[in-house]
Amino acid sequence: MLSNYLKTSLRNLKRHKTYAAINIVGLALGMACGLLIFMLVKYHLSFDNFHANSDRVYRIVTEMHRDVIAHTPGVPSPLGKAFRDDYDFAEKVARIATEEDMTITVKNGDEAEFFKEEGGVAIVEPAYFDIFNFPLIQGDMKSALVEPNTAIISESLAKKYFGDADPINKTIRFGEKIDAKITGVLQDFPKNTSQKTEIFVSYPTLKQHNEWLASEDAWGGINSGVQCFVLLRPQVSVAQVEKVFPAYVTKHRPTSTNVHHYKLQPLDDIHFNADYYGPMDMKRLWVLSFIGLFLIVTACVNFINLATAQALNRAKEIGMRKVLGGRRSEVFWQFIAQTGVITALALGLAVLIALAALPYVNNWFGAQVQFNILNDWQLLLFVPALVILVTFLAGSYPGLILAGFQPVVALKGKLSQQHIGGFNTRRTLIVTQFALSQILVIGMIVIARQMNYSTNADLGFDKEAVVMIPVASDYPQGKALKGEMEQLSGVENVTMCYAAPATNNGGWNTSPRYNNEPEEQEFLVSVKAADADYVESFGLSLVAGRNVFPADTAQEFVVNEAFARKLNLKSPQELLGKKLNLNSDTEGPIVGVVKDFHDASLREEIHPIAIFTAPSLYDNYAVKMNTSNISATMAALEKTWKARHPDQLFDYEFLDDDIASFYETETLMLKLIQVFSALALFIGCLGLYGLVSFMAAQKTKEIGIRKVLGSSIAQILWIFGKEFSRLIVIAFVIAAPLAWWLMQSWLADFEFKADIGAGIFVWALLGTFIVAFATVSYQAVRAALMNPVRSLRSE
């Protein structure tokens, strides 16, 4: 019986090649998306699940309560030691201080090689490797990270730095001056780990890198790279631990207006919690999962539309089977078998599409997903489950329709629309498809408009042709190099600074004291340590007072208009001459106020800002270049920089690239929604094609009679045009308010945003009409041009 079903199915597919091809392509696209999204979701859900006792591993994080609540994965560096000494709640406590994007120098005789490591360097306590499952393949963990200036690195980095030579006792240099001897080699990390750093230096080395962070009295501030992990004892609850944390705030920060609330974050939450810089918000995985399900269901709906449209062509076959004794269940299972054959063929094509698309998906998401069905039991179960689901979801309704044909009516050719499901079912399905497609299209247009707005908005400072180059020496030498850069052809201005007006590479925020008041203000001020050329180099506009004078110490401040607003002052002029104090040791008068500029992405409000001279904090040169010959200017800058720093890596970043990184999530979202919109429209159009095919088959005689009575081709085409136009308009009426609500919710995350105007909806509707018209035109024109003699012959 099964052999007969398969033979009949293959014969039927061969007879209707176009029908088969459309169904296979439609199902393949939906299934390919389902496969890719399943693998991507599974990959992210597997993060950090390979550690022993992972259910008892937590990171201590901080909520900072000021005028607003902020979150950071960092804690004051002494907290870990204090918690370990004071309480017995944890089996292990480990502090780790990570600095990303570090330059590693490896010397080989008189030559030196430079490596830029995005993961940077982690200065870590040995207990970290008791908490996490990162085994050594060389060295002894008990002694590897005990002494200062010792380090362990991953197997891959050992190969990268030293080739086939034994890395043990070799030396690497990180930053500008700290050497570390390799005492161990770690097995390469699994792909699904949140730990991206592959260089771990002993914790006693922290004092050389940052003396303030190494101090056990450094309760005054937080660096997001300084974190603390704990492995709780069995039976110890989160509530028990969090109950003791407020005592540290009371003891060490009693007067601070930045009130810390320390919390325990579970290990399995680290990858997903955006508040603490988790890279994959769980909501995005849910959205991806629903989109994948929608595309699979949409493909199945198209199959149903096409199958029911083709049902009339099989009426006599079904009638004959029933006359010869075929039971209803046999007819049903025959159609399910045919659907299974189509689904199996679609699966083969879906796998090829998924394999071709996988590198792009990995690149977009920064993932390392692999398609290896033989070694992945979850994927091995998902694929046949997907085939069975699609087979029955797509085949059951048409199978029941075909099985329900009355043999006498079928053989006489008297089947009506009601016998094969009628128009209304297909209309409902297509309206639903196009409503969802138009939601995606409207969303795509809104996101693209917001991205364009973000890219072209006036940020209040000049970001074009500005390159950020690290300061790699002390201030006197750095100042001398600045002077040399200023003399280069193509260089317009150079300023030494802590950071650009807006940067995605971290910043310094603190609570200020204003006008000799004893208490700190409740708001944060963004600190921009910079020399006197900062205002001119970035094109900042003074609205009151003057710029700071050149100085080698912090003497004067320039603030922005937002600073005045936070203090509820009526005019920026009121700030002039008032004393400002930062971190108790930096004090001076406010001498100028600049016009507000965006210091973060457009999601955030403009923050209060303080600019002052502090040479010890200058980490970068900001070089404003003439745009006429940037490549030649960059070559000259590198030559000048390398002349003073021959043993260091010349590194740089253009400011506009740094600012563009603010919107990496939106850029990814735009790419995804473009792809999903195109797929949804394409699959939806296949369904529309099915409806037009159904209409053309049903209206053959009607069209013949109309042509005999004198109807023009245009009038015949309108029969089809008004049908799909009505469906698209209905879909638009459903989609427009839903899309508006969804996009307003999305834009609510932006303080500065583009408007959702009527034009967006008009373009979405027009675009859908054009695509739909192109889809139905072939069948509609073919039906309109048919010879009426042929269509009326049976009459």
Side-chain angles (χ1 to χ4, degrees):
M1 182 68 73
L2 181 61
S3 174
N4 176 261
Y5 286 165
L6 293 175
K7 192 180 297 182
T8 306
S9 299
L10 291 171
R11 189 185 303 134
N12 193 60
L13 294 177
K14 190 174 181 181
R15 188 181 303 125
H16 302 288
K17 295 184 180 67
T18 303
Y19 162 78
I22 290 173
N23 274 326
I24 289 170
V25 171
L27 289 175
L29 287 172
M31 293 170 74
C33 289
L35 280 170
L36 287 169
I37 291 172
F38 173 80
M39 290 188 293
L40 186 65
V41 170
K42 183 175 73 68
Y43 167 76
H44 282 287
L45 290 177
S46 72
F47 259 70
D48 300 318
N49 67 355
F50 56 89
H51 298 291
N53 303 313
S54 59
D55 59 321
R56 293 192 282 126
V57 176
Y58 294 84
R59 178 172 67 179
I60 305 176
V61 296
T62 307
E63 282 184 7
M64 298 176 289
H65 291 240
R66 295 186 179 91
D67 55 333
V68 294
I69 297 176
H71 303 82
T72 176
V75 293
S77 55
L79 178 62
K81 182 178 184 301
F83 179 69
R84 180 169 51 220
D85 294 343
D86 295 343
Y87 299 100
D88 194 34
F89 290 130
E91 289 182 10
K92 297 291 179 179
V93 179
R95 294 179 289 177
I96 179 171
T98 304
E99 185 164 341
E100 298 177 347
D101 291 320
M102 291 285 281
T103 299
I104 305 300
T105 305
V106 179
K107 287 195 173 182
N108 184 9
D110 294 332
E111 296 182 357
E113 286 187 273
F114 305 102
F115 302 91
K116 185 72 172 179
E117 299 296 348
E118 288 186 14
V121 172
I123 299 175
V124 64
E125 292 181 321
Y128 184 83
F129 295 96
D130 295 325
I131 297 173
F132 295 104
N133 183 29
F134 297 130
L136 277 178
I137 58 174
Q138 278 186 267
D140 181 5
M141 189 61 78
K142 292 180 180 178
S143 59
L145 294 176
V146 174
E147 298 296 324
N149 298 91
T150 54
I152 58 178
I153 61 177
S154 70
E155 187 178 3
S156 294
L157 287 189
K159 184 78 172 176
K160 177 179 173 181
Y161 295 162
F162 306 110
D164 294 328
D166 185 359
I168 300 298
N169 294 323
K170 294 285 197 304
T171 299
I172 61 173
R173 171 171 290 182
F174 65 95
E176 301 161 20
K177 58 186 179 182
I178 303 177
D179 291 332
K181 181 177 69 174
I182 305 300
T183 54
V185 177
L186 290 161
Q187 180 180 314
D188 282 339
F189 298 163
K191 296 178 176 64
N192 57 335
T193 177
S194 297
Q195 178 55 268
K196 303 306 179 188
T197 306
E198 297 180 67
I199 302 171
F200 298 88
V201 178
S202 58
Y203 202 79
T205 316
L206 182 59
K207 190 172 183 179
Q208 300 171 49
H209 179 64
N210 189 315
E211 192 169 349
W212 176 73
L213 287 180
S215 168
E216 298 302 341
D217 296 319
W219 292 90
I222 288 183
N223 182 314
S224 62
V226 177
Q227 301 179 12
C228 182
F229 291 87
V230 298
L231 173 63
L232 296 184
R233 296 185 184 280
Q235 312 308 320
V236 173
S237 69
V238 171
Q240 281 178 275
V241 178
E242 290 185 344
K243 190 181 294 183
V244 306
F245 283 152
Y248 291 111
V249 179
T250 303
K251 180 178 179 181
H252 298 287
R253 302 173 57 86
T255 61
S256 176
T257 56
N258 176 13
V259 181
H260 286 184
H261 292 248
Y262 305 123
K263 306 284 185 181
L264 290 182
Q265 181 187 22
L267 179 62
D268 60 11
D269 184 61
I270 290 175
H271 185 67
F272 303 105
N273 195 324
D275 284 343
Y276 299 106
Y277 312 158
M280 177 54 69
D281 192 333
M282 186 63 80
K283 288 186 291 187
R284 288 164 64 187
L285 291 184
W286 279 110
V287 170
L288 282 174
S289 300
F290 281 122
I291 288 176
L293 181 62
F294 157 67
L295 291 173
I296 290 172
V297 171
T298 297
C300 293
V301 166
N302 286 336
F303 184 95
I304 293 169
N305 279 333
L306 287 167
T308 51
Q310 291 288 329
L312 289 175
N313 297 332
R314 303 189 61 180
K316 291 184 179 180
E317 173 199 341
I318 302 301
M320 186 62 69
R321 280 182 176 276
K322 288 200 166 185
V323 167
L324 295 175
R327 294 191 298 272
R328 180 170 182 166
S329 61
E330 291 174 343
V331 174
F332 173 81
W333 285 109
Q334 180 200 344
F335 190 81
I336 290 295
Q338 179 179 323
T339 306
V341 171
I342 293 174
T343 305
L345 293 172
L347 176 65
L349 181 58
V351 169
L352 294 177
I353 294 171
L355 287 171
L358 190 57
Y360 298 98
V361 172
N362 280 333
N363 182 48
W364 289 352
F365 283 91
Q368 298 182 58
V369 178
Q370 294 180 328
F371 186 89
N372 191 347
I373 190 169
L374 297 180
N375 294 326
D376 188 338
W377 67 269
Q378 292 169 311
L379 188 60
L380 192 61
L381 290 177
F382 177 76
V383 169
L386 179 63
V387 170
I388 294 170
L389 173 68
V390 169
T391 298
F392 281 92
L393 194 62
S396 295
Y397 178 72
L400 291 172
I401 293 293
L402 289 172
F405 283 176
Q406 296 297 320
V408 176
V409 177
L411 289 171
K412 286 184 177 181
K414 299 295 184 181
L415 290 173
S416 66
Q417 293 179 20
Q418 284 70 30
H419 288 99
I420 52 175
F423 281 137
N424 289 335
T425 302
R426 275 165 292 285
R427 284 170 175 157
T428 302
L429 294 173
I430 287 175
V431 165
T432 303
Q433 283 179 319
F434 272 91
L436 292 169
S437 298
Q438 287 186 64
I439 289 173
L440 288 174
V441 171
I442 293 168
M444 177 184 67
I445 296 172
V446 171
I447 293 172
R449 176 173 285 197
Q450 179 62 28
M451 289 296 294
N452 182 66
Y453 177 82
S454 300
T455 303
N456 298 308
D458 180 8
L459 300 180
F461 64 91
D462 188 359
K463 64 182 176 69
E464 302 301 326
V466 175
V467 64
M468 306 299 294
I469 302 172
V471 174
S473 60
D474 57 22
Y475 178 63
Q477 291 188 54
K479 187 176 181 181
L481 179 55
K482 174 192 172 187
E484 293 174 17
M485 289 178 174
E486 289 174 328
Q487 301 305 312
L488 296 175
S489 175
V491 173
E492 295 182 356
N493 285 296
V494 182
T495 180
M496 297 179 72
C497 58
Y498 177 73
T503 178
N504 201 27
N505 293 323
W508 174 21
N509 299 288
T510 188
S511 299
R513 282 191 174 91
Y514 172 72
N515 198 24
N516 297 317
E517 294 176 356
E519 296 294 327
E520 293 177 341
Q521 297 294 321
E522 290 189 355
F523 62 84
L524 278 177
V525 61
S526 177
V527 177
K528 307 289 182 185
D531 63 22
D533 295 316
Y534 191 82
V535 170
E536 181 183 358
S537 296
F538 286 108
L540 304 180
S541 302
L542 282 163
V543 296
R546 59 171 174 81
N547 190 16
V548 296
F549 289 134
D552 291 342
T553 57
Q555 297 178 347
E556 299 174 327
F557 289 91
V558 169
V559 298
N560 65 344
E561 295 170 302
F563 196 100
R565 287 197 299 275
K566 283 289 185 180
L567 293 169
N568 296 315
L569 301 180
K570 295 180 180 178
S571 168
Q573 295 284 349
E574 296 180 49
L575 289 168
L576 300 181
K578 300 297 192 298
K579 285 286 183 69
L580 183 62
N581 182 290
L582 304 178
N583 285 357
S584 301
D585 57 357
T586 303
E587 187 174 79
I590 298 172
V591 298
V593 181
V594 293
K595 186 178 179 181
D596 279 341
F597 58 86
H598 291 276
D599 62 311
S601 78
L602 299 190
R603 295 187 205 91
E604 301 180 38
E605 65 177 0
I606 295 175
H607 303 105
I609 289 167
I611 303 168
F612 66 100
T613 54
S616 63
L617 299 174
Y618 298 162
D619 289 342
N620 294 281
Y621 301 98
V623 183
K624 171 66 177 174
M625 298 180 290
N626 189 298
T627 56
S628 59
N629 195 350
I630 289 179
S631 58
T633 305
M634 284 302 304
L637 285 168
E638 180 175 5
K639 183 179 179 181
T640 304
W641 193 92
K642 289 290 286 184
R644 284 190 172 266
H645 309 294
D647 59 343
Q648 296 189 47
L649 178 69
F650 177 72
D651 190 27
Y652 64 90
E653 183 177 28
F654 282 96
L655 180 56
D656 50 2
D657 291 335
D658 183 18
I659 292 172
S661 68
F662 281 136
Y663 307 106
E664 286 178 349
T665 299
E666 287 73 22
T667 301
L668 172 61
M669 188 180 294
L670 181 59
K671 287 179 182 177
L672 291 175
I673 204 168
Q674 285 172 335
V675 171
F676 290 140
S677 297
L679 286 173
L681 278 174
F682 180 76
I683 295 173
C685 286
L686 289 179
L688 193 60
Y689 184 88
L691 178 64
V692 174
S693 301
F694 177 79
M695 288 178 61
Q698 286 296 296
K699 294 180 178 290
T700 300
K701 293 182 176 61
E702 177 189 337
I703 292 170
I705 294 170
R706 285 178 179 275
K707 291 190 74 173
V708 167
L709 296 177
S711 292
S712 65
I713 292 177
Q715 289 173 320
I716 300 299
L717 291 176
W718 179 239
I719 295 174
F720 298 93
K722 71 180 179 182
E723 176 67 26
F724 81 77
S725 297
R726 185 185 302 120
L727 296 180
I728 290 174
V729 169
I730 293 171
F732 177 77
V733 170
I734 296 170
L738 285 173
W740 181 87
W741 176 76
L742 288 171
M743 287 298 98
Q744 284 286 14
S745 300
W746 179 73
L747 286 172
D749 289 337
F750 289 84
E751 284 289 328
F752 302 89
K753 52 203 167 200
D755 293 327
I756 302 181
I760 290 173
F761 298 93
V762 172
W763 280 111
L765 182 60
L766 182 61
T768 307
F769 262 118
I770 292 172
V771 173
F773 177 78
T775 301
V776 304
S777 57
Y778 170 73
Q779 282 286 12
V781 170
R782 184 181 174 193
L785 294 177
M786 184 180 291
N787 190 333
V789 174
R790 289 182 58 194
S791 60
L792 296 173
R793 184 178 297 162
S794 62
E795 298 296 317

